[in-house]
Amino acid sequence: MPHVYLSLGSNRDRERHITAALDALADRFGEIEVSSVYESEAVGFAGTNFYNLVVGIDCPLGLAELSAWLKQVEDDNGRDRSGPRFSGRTLDIDVLTYGDLDHPQEGVQVPRDEITENAFVLLPLAEIAPEQKHPVLQTCYAELWQAYDRAQKLWPIDFNWRGRQISRASTED
């Protein structure tokens, strides 16, 4: 069964939609790995800030079946696909990696380019899978994060899910 990493994001009623996505994933796949939740500025358009995180699951579904199920979760949470590609959204769930698959399959791009392009994907991925290697680059995510040099602002926030704190805002001394 492949281990899969997913990125989750929302900039509309953020806490509700991220919680709903985590609930759906846990209900379907059982125990899930959850990174801290980060707030970040919108990338590619002017909009309200996003909440972003990465989740790891063991997935019995094929890649196409998983992708279709994730789209249904997005739709169940009010995702409007009629707007521009770079726009606000209630919920966005992307398959980042699917096991060690290193090329697109079943119409799904894996690994996602966003892994190395966006801090809001790479930092939480490096947090929960620091020693895991990128399927194409064969460099671990912690090293990719250390080498990341793009100016994208993000910061951890306080976030609770199912009675536990999964994320804590950083405190400066």
Side-chain angles (χ1 to χ4, degrees):
M1 182 175 336
H3 196 70
V4 176
Y5 290 103
L6 309 168
S7 67
L8 283 65
S10 173
N11 77 335
R12 294 189 180 151
D13 202 357
R14 303 172 298 184
E15 187 170 338
R16 179 169 69 95
H17 291 113
I18 294 298
T19 298
L22 291 171
D23 287 343
L25 290 164
D27 291 348
R28 178 76 189 250
F29 300 106
E31 190 170 328
I32 61 176
E33 296 172 90
V34 183
S35 76
S36 297
V37 178
Y38 293 87
E39 186 169 357
S40 65
E41 297 173 337
V43 174
F45 69 99
T48 56
N49 289 352
F50 276 79
Y51 282 0
N52 295 100
L53 68 154
V54 168
V55 172
I57 61 171
D58 289 319
C59 185
L61 306 177
L63 184 54
E65 186 180 2
L66 173 62
S67 183
W69 184 80
L70 295 172
K71 283 186 182 0
Q72 186 60 56
V73 171
E74 292 172 341
D75 292 346
D76 291 347
N77 282 277
R79 174 74 183 261
D80 178 5
R81 300 181 195 283
S82 65
R85 178 174 176 226
F86 294 107
S87 62
R89 56 203 59 180
T90 56
L91 186 59
D92 186 33
I93 309 174
D94 292 321
V95 177
L96 298 174
T97 63
Y98 185 85
D100 59 3
L101 194 62
D102 63 359
H103 60 280
Q105 185 175 331
E106 301 180 36
V108 181
Q109 174 67 44
V110 288
R112 295 279 295 205
D113 293 339
E114 287 84 354
I115 292 171
T116 57
E117 293 174 358
N118 291 315
F120 61 80
V121 175
L122 184 55
L123 177 56
L125 184 56
E127 177 186 318
I128 66 171
E131 299 306 315
Q132 181 74 36
K133 290 187 176 183
H134 186 283
V136 173
L137 302 175
Q138 290 301 305
T139 303
C140 71
Y141 296 119
E143 290 176 28
L144 289 171
W145 176 246
Q146 288 175 343
Y148 187 82
D149 63 356
R150 297 180 186 207
Q152 288 183 2
K153 293 181 183 177
L154 72 158
W155 51 95
I157 61 159
D158 287 332
F159 198 94
N160 295 299
W161 175 62
R162 292 191 172 179
R164 67 183 174 107
Q165 186 166 29
I166 61 169
S167 183
R168 183 179 308 272
S170 63
T171 55
E172 296 183 10
D173 295 331

